[in-house]
Amino acid sequence: MIVKRLSDIVPEKVGDFKRWYLSKAEPGHSLSVRHIEVNGIVPPHTDYAEETVFYIEGKGLARVGEKEVAVRPGMMLVIPPGTVHSSIREGTEPLRYLAFFIGNPDL
């Protein structure tokens, strides 16, 4: 068994957001889990694998393709591979979510 605590993982800072790799895809594995903290915007981008996002804290906007949705804790989005998407924090609290990648994530 592997036990990980968020406080034990060194985050990677990318622009206005930080990410913690809770589980990183390794050869033979197809799941990656990240904890994301947004203090501004996650710029528009695409991924090679389907991404499921589960919001756990804060408020914001998610842009997926041509659609925009207000997000809050307890909401989940499924983003198809190759779809342009981004997250934007609203308010003063960080927007936090878990991102799950299944398939062959480019990590």
Side-chain angles (χ1 to χ4, degrees), residues 50-105:
E50 178 179 278
E51 179 178 2
T52 299
V53 176
F54 184 76
Y55 292 90
I56 55 177
E57 200 173 323
K59 295 181 197 171
L61 290 174
R63 292 186 180 140
V64 180
E66 299 296 318
K67 297 180 181 177
E68 187 173 282
V69 62
V71 295
R72 63 184 190 285
M75 291 183 73
M76 183 182 83
L77 301 176
V78 178
I79 304 162
T83 303
V84 176
H85 59 285
S86 66
S87 293
I88 303 163
R89 178 192 72 177
E90 289 188 331
T92 58
E93 299 296 317
L95 177 62
R96 293 186 175 107
Y97 59 88
L98 296 175
F100 300 86
F101 295 86
I102 300 173
N104 293 307

Short mmCIF file of all heavy atoms in Angstrom, two decimals, residues 50-105:
data_model
loop_
_atom_site.label_atom_id
_atom_site.label_comp_id
_atom_site.label_asym_id
_atom_site.label_seq_id
_atom_site.Cartn_x
_atom_site.Cartn_y
_atom_site.Cartn_z
N GLU A 50 -8.51 11.74 -21.89
CA GLU A 50 -9.69 12.30 -21.25
C GLU A 50 -9.32 12.78 -19.85
O GLU A 50 -8.54 12.13 -19.15
CB GLU A 50 -10.76 11.21 -21.15
CG GLU A 50 -12.02 11.66 -20.44
CD GLU A 50 -13.05 10.57 -20.40
OE1 GLU A 50 -13.77 10.39 -21.39
OE2 GLU A 50 -13.12 9.87 -19.36
N GLU A 51 -9.86 13.93 -19.47
CA GLU A 51 -9.61 14.49 -18.13
C GLU A 51 -10.94 14.63 -17.40
O GLU A 51 -11.89 15.18 -17.94
CB GLU A 51 -8.93 15.85 -18.23
CG GLU A 51 -8.65 16.50 -16.91
CD GLU A 51 -7.94 17.84 -17.02
OE1 GLU A 51 -7.68 18.31 -18.15
OE2 GLU A 51 -7.63 18.42 -15.97
N THR A 52 -11.00 14.13 -16.18
CA THR A 52 -12.15 14.34 -15.31
C THR A 52 -11.71 15.27 -14.21
O THR A 52 -10.70 15.03 -13.55
CB THR A 52 -12.66 13.01 -14.72
OG1 THR A 52 -13.05 12.15 -15.80
CG2 THR A 52 -13.85 13.24 -13.81
N VAL A 53 -12.46 16.36 -14.02
CA VAL A 53 -12.12 17.38 -13.03
C VAL A 53 -13.19 17.38 -11.95
O VAL A 53 -14.39 17.46 -12.26
CB VAL A 53 -12.04 18.78 -13.70
CG1 VAL A 53 -11.78 19.86 -12.67
CG2 VAL A 53 -10.97 18.78 -14.78
N PHE A 54 -12.77 17.28 -10.68
CA PHE A 54 -13.70 17.33 -9.55
C PHE A 54 -13.30 18.51 -8.67
O PHE A 54 -12.21 18.51 -8.09
CB PHE A 54 -13.67 16.03 -8.75
CG PHE A 54 -14.68 16.00 -7.65
CD1 PHE A 54 -16.02 15.80 -7.92
CD2 PHE A 54 -14.29 16.21 -6.34
CE1 PHE A 54 -16.97 15.79 -6.91
CE2 PHE A 54 -15.23 16.22 -5.31
CZ PHE A 54 -16.57 16.00 -5.59
N TYR A 55 -14.18 19.52 -8.60
CA TYR A 55 -13.90 20.74 -7.85
C TYR A 55 -14.13 20.52 -6.36
O TYR A 55 -15.17 20.00 -5.96
CB TYR A 55 -14.75 21.89 -8.38
CG TYR A 55 -14.34 22.27 -9.78
CD1 TYR A 55 -14.93 21.67 -10.88
CD2 TYR A 55 -13.33 23.18 -9.99
CE1 TYR A 55 -14.52 21.98 -12.17
CE2 TYR A 55 -12.91 23.51 -11.27
CZ TYR A 55 -13.51 22.90 -12.36
OH TYR A 55 -13.09 23.21 -13.62
N ILE A 56 -13.14 20.90 -5.54
CA ILE A 56 -13.23 20.66 -4.10
C ILE A 56 -13.27 21.94 -3.26
O ILE A 56 -13.66 21.90 -2.10
CB ILE A 56 -12.08 19.75 -3.61
CG1 ILE A 56 -10.72 20.30 -3.99
CG2 ILE A 56 -12.27 18.34 -4.13
CD1 ILE A 56 -9.54 19.49 -3.48
N GLU A 57 -12.89 23.09 -3.85
CA GLU A 57 -12.86 24.32 -3.07
C GLU A 57 -12.82 25.53 -4.00
O GLU A 57 -12.21 25.49 -5.05
CB GLU A 57 -11.62 24.33 -2.18
CG GLU A 57 -11.67 25.27 -1.01
CD GLU A 57 -10.46 25.09 -0.10
OE1 GLU A 57 -10.00 23.95 0.08
OE2 GLU A 57 -9.98 26.11 0.42
N GLY A 58 -13.46 26.62 -3.59
CA GLY A 58 -13.42 27.87 -4.34
C GLY A 58 -14.51 27.96 -5.39
O GLY A 58 -15.34 27.07 -5.55
N LYS A 59 -14.48 29.08 -6.13
CA LYS A 59 -15.44 29.33 -7.21
C LYS A 59 -14.66 29.74 -8.44
O LYS A 59 -13.58 30.32 -8.35
CB LYS A 59 -16.40 30.46 -6.84
CG LYS A 59 -17.30 30.17 -5.68
CD LYS A 59 -18.20 31.36 -5.44
CE LYS A 59 -18.81 31.31 -4.06
NZ LYS A 59 -19.51 32.54 -3.73
N GLY A 60 -15.24 29.48 -9.60
CA GLY A 60 -14.57 29.89 -10.82
C GLY A 60 -15.39 29.58 -12.05
O GLY A 60 -16.58 29.25 -11.97
N LEU A 61 -14.71 29.69 -13.16
CA LEU A 61 -15.30 29.38 -14.46
C LEU A 61 -14.46 28.31 -15.12
O LEU A 61 -13.23 28.34 -15.03
CB LEU A 61 -15.31 30.61 -15.37
CG LEU A 61 -16.26 31.74 -15.03
CD1 LEU A 61 -16.01 32.92 -15.95
CD2 LEU A 61 -17.70 31.26 -15.16
N ALA A 62 -15.13 27.40 -15.79
CA ALA A 62 -14.43 26.42 -16.63
C ALA A 62 -14.87 26.68 -18.05
O ALA A 62 -16.07 26.84 -18.33
CB ALA A 62 -14.79 25.00 -16.21
N ARG A 63 -13.91 26.75 -18.94
CA ARG A 63 -14.20 26.88 -20.37
C ARG A 63 -13.77 25.57 -21.02
O ARG A 63 -12.61 25.17 -20.92
CB ARG A 63 -13.44 28.05 -20.96
CG ARG A 63 -13.95 29.37 -20.43
CD ARG A 63 -13.29 30.55 -21.13
NE ARG A 63 -13.84 31.78 -20.56
CZ ARG A 63 -13.12 32.86 -20.32
NH1 ARG A 63 -11.84 32.88 -20.60
NH2 ARG A 63 -13.69 33.93 -19.82
N VAL A 64 -14.73 24.94 -21.68
CA VAL A 64 -14.48 23.67 -22.36
C VAL A 64 -15.04 23.80 -23.77
O VAL A 64 -16.26 23.93 -23.94
CB VAL A 64 -15.14 22.48 -21.62
CG1 VAL A 64 -14.86 21.18 -22.36
CG2 VAL A 64 -14.65 22.41 -20.18
N GLY A 65 -14.15 23.81 -24.75
CA GLY A 65 -14.59 24.06 -26.12
C GLY A 65 -15.20 25.44 -26.19
O GLY A 65 -14.62 26.42 -25.74
N GLU A 66 -16.41 25.53 -26.72
CA GLU A 66 -17.12 26.81 -26.84
C GLU A 66 -18.02 27.09 -25.65
O GLU A 66 -18.69 28.11 -25.60
CB GLU A 66 -17.96 26.80 -28.13
CG GLU A 66 -17.14 26.64 -29.40
CD GLU A 66 -16.20 27.80 -29.63
OE1 GLU A 66 -16.60 28.96 -29.40
OE2 GLU A 66 -15.05 27.54 -30.03
N LYS A 67 -18.06 26.19 -24.66
CA LYS A 67 -18.96 26.34 -23.52
C LYS A 67 -18.22 26.89 -22.30
O LYS A 67 -17.04 26.66 -22.13
CB LYS A 67 -19.60 25.00 -23.17
CG LYS A 67 -20.47 24.46 -24.27
CD LYS A 67 -21.08 23.14 -23.89
CE LYS A 67 -21.93 22.62 -25.04
NZ LYS A 67 -22.48 21.30 -24.75
N GLU A 68 -18.98 27.60 -21.47
CA GLU A 68 -18.45 28.14 -20.21
C GLU A 68 -19.43 27.79 -19.10
O GLU A 68 -20.64 27.94 -19.28
CB GLU A 68 -18.29 29.65 -20.34
CG GLU A 68 -17.59 30.30 -19.19
CD GLU A 68 -17.33 31.77 -19.45
OE1 GLU A 68 -16.37 32.08 -20.18
OE2 GLU A 68 -18.09 32.60 -18.91
N VAL A 69 -18.93 27.32 -17.99
CA VAL A 69 -19.79 26.94 -16.87
C VAL A 69 -19.20 27.45 -15.56
O VAL A 69 -17.99 27.42 -15.37
CB VAL A 69 -20.01 25.40 -16.82
CG1 VAL A 69 -18.71 24.67 -16.60
CG2 VAL A 69 -21.02 25.01 -15.77
N ALA A 70 -20.07 27.98 -14.69
CA ALA A 70 -19.64 28.39 -13.35
C ALA A 70 -19.43 27.13 -12.53
O ALA A 70 -20.28 26.23 -12.53
CB ALA A 70 -20.69 29.29 -12.71
N VAL A 71 -18.29 27.03 -11.84
CA VAL A 71 -17.98 25.83 -11.06
C VAL A 71 -17.87 26.16 -9.58
O VAL A 71 -17.54 27.27 -9.19
CB VAL A 71 -16.68 25.14 -11.56
CG1 VAL A 71 -16.87 24.64 -12.98
CG2 VAL A 71 -15.49 26.07 -11.49
N ARG A 72 -18.19 25.15 -8.77
CA ARG A 72 -18.13 25.27 -7.32
C ARG A 72 -17.85 23.89 -6.75
O ARG A 72 -17.92 22.89 -7.47
CB ARG A 72 -19.41 25.86 -6.78
CG ARG A 72 -20.62 25.02 -7.01
CD ARG A 72 -21.90 25.70 -6.53
NE ARG A 72 -23.03 24.80 -6.54
CZ ARG A 72 -23.68 24.39 -7.63
NH1 ARG A 72 -23.30 24.81 -8.82
NH2 ARG A 72 -24.70 23.57 -7.54
N PRO A 73 -17.53 23.79 -5.47
CA PRO A 73 -17.23 22.48 -4.87
C PRO A 73 -18.36 21.47 -5.09
O PRO A 73 -19.54 21.82 -5.04
CB PRO A 73 -17.07 22.80 -3.39
CG PRO A 73 -16.61 24.22 -3.37
CD PRO A 73 -17.36 24.87 -4.50
N GLY A 74 -17.96 20.25 -5.39
CA GLY A 74 -18.90 19.17 -5.61
C GLY A 74 -19.27 18.95 -7.06
O GLY A 74 -19.93 17.98 -7.39
N MET A 75 -18.83 19.84 -7.96
CA MET A 75 -19.12 19.68 -9.39
C MET A 75 -18.03 18.86 -10.06
O MET A 75 -16.87 18.89 -9.64
CB MET A 75 -19.21 21.04 -10.07
CG MET A 75 -20.42 21.84 -9.66
SD MET A 75 -20.54 23.41 -10.55
CE MET A 75 -21.03 22.85 -12.17
N MET A 76 -18.42 18.17 -11.13
CA MET A 76 -17.47 17.37 -11.90
C MET A 76 -17.66 17.66 -13.38
O MET A 76 -18.78 17.82 -13.85
CB MET A 76 -17.72 15.88 -11.64
CG MET A 76 -16.73 14.98 -12.35
SD MET A 76 -17.08 13.23 -12.06
CE MET A 76 -18.33 12.94 -13.29
N LEU A 77 -16.55 17.74 -14.11
CA LEU A 77 -16.57 17.90 -15.56
C LEU A 77 -15.76 16.77 -16.18
O LEU A 77 -14.73 16.37 -15.64
CB LEU A 77 -15.94 19.22 -15.99
CG LEU A 77 -16.53 20.52 -15.46
CD1 LEU A 77 -15.68 21.69 -15.93
CD2 LEU A 77 -17.95 20.67 -15.95
N VAL A 78 -16.20 16.29 -17.33
CA VAL A 78 -15.43 15.31 -18.10
C VAL A 78 -15.07 16.00 -19.42
O VAL A 78 -15.94 16.45 -20.15
CB VAL A 78 -16.23 14.02 -18.35
CG1 VAL A 78 -15.41 13.05 -19.20
CG2 VAL A 78 -16.62 13.37 -17.03
N ILE A 79 -13.77 16.09 -19.69
CA ILE A 79 -13.26 16.81 -20.85
C ILE A 79 -12.69 15.80 -21.84
O ILE A 79 -11.72 15.10 -21.52
CB ILE A 79 -12.18 17.83 -20.43
CG1 ILE A 79 -12.78 18.78 -19.37
CG2 ILE A 79 -11.65 18.59 -21.63
CD1 ILE A 79 -11.76 19.53 -18.57
N PRO A 80 -13.28 15.72 -23.04
CA PRO A 80 -12.79 14.76 -24.03
C PRO A 80 -11.35 15.08 -24.48
O PRO A 80 -10.93 16.25 -24.45
CB PRO A 80 -13.75 14.93 -25.21
CG PRO A 80 -14.96 15.58 -24.63
CD PRO A 80 -14.45 16.44 -23.50
N PRO A 81 -10.60 14.07 -24.91
CA PRO A 81 -9.24 14.30 -25.40
C PRO A 81 -9.25 15.31 -26.56
O PRO A 81 -10.19 15.32 -27.37
CB PRO A 81 -8.80 12.93 -25.91
CG PRO A 81 -9.73 11.95 -25.29
CD PRO A 81 -11.01 12.68 -25.01
N GLY A 82 -8.24 16.16 -26.60
CA GLY A 82 -8.09 17.11 -27.70
C GLY A 82 -8.98 18.33 -27.62
O GLY A 82 -8.95 19.17 -28.52
N THR A 83 -9.78 18.49 -26.57
CA THR A 83 -10.69 19.64 -26.42
C THR A 83 -9.98 20.77 -25.67
O THR A 83 -9.41 20.55 -24.61
CB THR A 83 -11.96 19.23 -25.64
OG1 THR A 83 -12.59 18.14 -26.31
CG2 THR A 83 -12.93 20.39 -25.53
N VAL A 84 -10.01 21.96 -26.24
CA VAL A 84 -9.40 23.13 -25.59
C VAL A 84 -10.20 23.45 -24.33
O VAL A 84 -11.44 23.51 -24.36
CB VAL A 84 -9.38 24.35 -26.53
CG1 VAL A 84 -8.84 25.58 -25.81
CG2 VAL A 84 -8.55 24.06 -27.77
N HIS A 85 -9.49 23.64 -23.20
CA HIS A 85 -10.16 23.95 -21.94
C HIS A 85 -9.25 24.78 -21.04
O HIS A 85 -8.05 24.79 -21.21
CB HIS A 85 -10.61 22.67 -21.23
CG HIS A 85 -9.50 21.73 -20.91
ND1 HIS A 85 -8.90 20.94 -21.87
CD2 HIS A 85 -8.87 21.44 -19.76
CE1 HIS A 85 -7.97 20.20 -21.31
NE2 HIS A 85 -7.91 20.48 -20.01
N SER A 86 -9.88 25.47 -20.07
CA SER A 86 -9.14 26.26 -19.09
C SER A 86 -10.00 26.44 -17.85
O SER A 86 -11.21 26.22 -17.89
CB SER A 86 -8.74 27.62 -19.67
OG SER A 86 -9.88 28.41 -19.91
N SER A 87 -9.37 26.85 -16.75
CA SER A 87 -10.07 27.15 -15.50
C SER A 87 -9.65 28.54 -15.04
O SER A 87 -8.49 28.91 -15.16
CB SER A 87 -9.70 26.14 -14.41
OG SER A 87 -10.20 24.87 -14.72
N ILE A 88 -10.62 29.28 -14.51
CA ILE A 88 -10.38 30.65 -14.07
C ILE A 88 -10.95 30.82 -12.67
O ILE A 88 -12.12 30.53 -12.44
CB ILE A 88 -11.04 31.66 -15.02
CG1 ILE A 88 -10.53 31.44 -16.45
CG2 ILE A 88 -10.80 33.09 -14.56
CD1 ILE A 88 -11.38 32.08 -17.50
N ARG A 89 -10.13 31.28 -11.74
CA ARG A 89 -10.59 31.54 -10.38
C ARG A 89 -11.46 32.78 -10.36
O ARG A 89 -11.19 33.75 -11.07
CB ARG A 89 -9.39 31.75 -9.46
CG ARG A 89 -9.82 32.08 -8.03
CD ARG A 89 -8.67 32.57 -7.21
NE ARG A 89 -8.30 33.92 -7.66
CZ ARG A 89 -7.37 34.65 -7.09
NH1 ARG A 89 -6.68 34.19 -6.10
NH2 ARG A 89 -7.08 35.85 -7.54
N GLU A 90 -12.51 32.76 -9.53
CA GLU A 90 -13.31 33.95 -9.26
C GLU A 90 -13.28 34.19 -7.76
O GLU A 90 -13.34 33.25 -6.98
CB GLU A 90 -14.76 33.75 -9.72
CG GLU A 90 -14.91 33.74 -11.22
CD GLU A 90 -16.37 33.73 -11.64
OE1 GLU A 90 -17.21 33.21 -10.90
OE2 GLU A 90 -16.64 34.25 -12.73
N GLY A 91 -13.19 35.42 -7.34
CA GLY A 91 -13.13 35.73 -5.92
C GLY A 91 -11.69 35.73 -5.43
O GLY A 91 -10.74 35.73 -6.21
N THR A 92 -11.54 35.70 -4.11
CA THR A 92 -10.20 35.79 -3.52
C THR A 92 -9.64 34.45 -3.06
O THR A 92 -8.45 34.33 -2.82
CB THR A 92 -10.22 36.75 -2.31
OG1 THR A 92 -11.17 36.28 -1.36
CG2 THR A 92 -10.59 38.17 -2.75
N GLU A 93 -10.50 33.44 -2.92
CA GLU A 93 -10.04 32.12 -2.48
C GLU A 93 -9.51 31.32 -3.67
O GLU A 93 -10.04 31.42 -4.77
CB GLU A 93 -11.19 31.34 -1.83
CG GLU A 93 -11.77 32.00 -0.61
CD GLU A 93 -10.76 32.11 0.52
OE1 GLU A 93 -10.04 31.13 0.77
OE2 GLU A 93 -10.69 33.18 1.15
N PRO A 94 -8.48 30.51 -3.47
CA PRO A 94 -7.99 29.67 -4.56
C PRO A 94 -9.09 28.70 -5.03
O PRO A 94 -9.94 28.29 -4.26
CB PRO A 94 -6.84 28.88 -3.94
CG PRO A 94 -6.43 29.66 -2.74
CD PRO A 94 -7.68 30.33 -2.25
N LEU A 95 -9.05 28.38 -6.29
CA LEU A 95 -9.91 27.36 -6.87
C LEU A 95 -9.11 26.06 -6.84
O LEU A 95 -8.01 25.99 -7.40
CB LEU A 95 -10.27 27.74 -8.31
CG LEU A 95 -11.11 26.74 -9.09
CD1 LEU A 95 -12.48 26.55 -8.43
CD2 LEU A 95 -11.28 27.21 -10.53
N ARG A 96 -9.63 25.04 -6.15
CA ARG A 96 -8.90 23.78 -6.02
C ARG A 96 -9.72 22.64 -6.60
O ARG A 96 -10.93 22.59 -6.38
CB ARG A 96 -8.58 23.50 -4.55
CG ARG A 96 -7.59 24.49 -3.96
CD ARG A 96 -7.18 24.11 -2.55
NE ARG A 96 -6.15 25.01 -2.09
CZ ARG A 96 -6.35 25.96 -1.18
NH1 ARG A 96 -7.53 26.12 -0.64
NH2 ARG A 96 -5.35 26.74 -0.81
N TYR A 97 -9.02 21.75 -7.31
CA TYR A 97 -9.72 20.60 -7.86
C TYR A 97 -8.76 19.43 -8.04
O TYR A 97 -7.55 19.58 -8.00
CB TYR A 97 -10.40 20.94 -9.19
CG TYR A 97 -9.51 21.44 -10.30
CD1 TYR A 97 -8.90 20.56 -11.18
CD2 TYR A 97 -9.33 22.81 -10.50
CE1 TYR A 97 -8.12 21.02 -12.23
CE2 TYR A 97 -8.56 23.28 -11.54
CZ TYR A 97 -7.96 22.37 -12.41
OH TYR A 97 -7.18 22.84 -13.45
N LEU A 98 -9.37 18.25 -8.19
CA LEU A 98 -8.61 17.05 -8.53
C LEU A 98 -8.80 16.80 -10.01
O LEU A 98 -9.92 16.91 -10.52
CB LEU A 98 -9.12 15.84 -7.73
CG LEU A 98 -8.95 15.93 -6.22
CD1 LEU A 98 -9.61 14.72 -5.56
CD2 LEU A 98 -7.48 15.99 -5.84
N ALA A 99 -7.72 16.49 -10.69
CA ALA A 99 -7.77 16.18 -12.13
C ALA A 99 -7.34 14.73 -12.31
O ALA A 99 -6.26 14.34 -11.85
CB ALA A 99 -6.86 17.11 -12.90
N PHE A 100 -8.19 13.95 -12.93
CA PHE A 100 -7.93 12.53 -13.19
C PHE A 100 -7.74 12.34 -14.69
O PHE A 100 -8.58 12.77 -15.49
CB PHE A 100 -9.12 11.67 -12.73
CG PHE A 100 -9.41 11.78 -11.27
CD1 PHE A 100 -10.24 12.80 -10.80
CD2 PHE A 100 -8.89 10.87 -10.37
CE1 PHE A 100 -10.53 12.91 -9.45
CE2 PHE A 100 -9.18 10.97 -9.02
CZ PHE A 100 -10.00 11.99 -8.56
N PHE A 101 -6.67 11.69 -15.06
CA PHE A 101 -6.39 11.39 -16.47
C PHE A 101 -6.38 9.87 -16.63
O PHE A 101 -5.66 9.18 -15.90
CB PHE A 101 -5.02 11.93 -16.88
CG PHE A 101 -4.95 13.45 -16.83
CD1 PHE A 101 -4.65 14.08 -15.65
CD2 PHE A 101 -5.21 14.20 -17.94
CE1 PHE A 101 -4.57 15.46 -15.56
CE2 PHE A 101 -5.14 15.58 -17.88
CZ PHE A 101 -4.82 16.22 -16.70
N ILE A 102 -7.17 9.37 -17.57
CA ILE A 102 -7.24 7.94 -17.82
C ILE A 102 -6.95 7.72 -19.30
O ILE A 102 -7.46 8.42 -20.16
CB ILE A 102 -8.63 7.38 -17.45
CG1 ILE A 102 -8.88 7.63 -15.97
CG2 ILE A 102 -8.72 5.91 -17.80
CD1 ILE A 102 -10.25 7.29 -15.50
N GLY A 103 -6.12 6.76 -19.58
CA GLY A 103 -5.73 6.48 -20.96
C GLY A 103 -4.23 6.47 -21.03
O GLY A 103 -3.57 5.79 -20.26
N ASN A 104 -3.68 7.26 -21.90
CA ASN A 104 -2.22 7.38 -22.05
C ASN A 104 -1.81 8.83 -21.87
O ASN A 104 -1.45 9.50 -22.82
CB ASN A 104 -1.78 6.86 -23.42
CG ASN A 104 -2.00 5.39 -23.56
OD1 ASN A 104 -1.54 4.63 -22.73
ND2 ASN A 104 -2.71 4.97 -24.60
N PRO A 105 -1.94 9.33 -20.65
CA PRO A 105 -1.61 10.74 -20.42
C PRO A 105 -0.15 11.04 -20.73
O PRO A 105 0.74 10.24 -20.43
CB PRO A 105 -1.93 10.97 -18.95
CG PRO A 105 -1.94 9.63 -18.33
CD PRO A 105 -2.27 8.65 -19.42
#
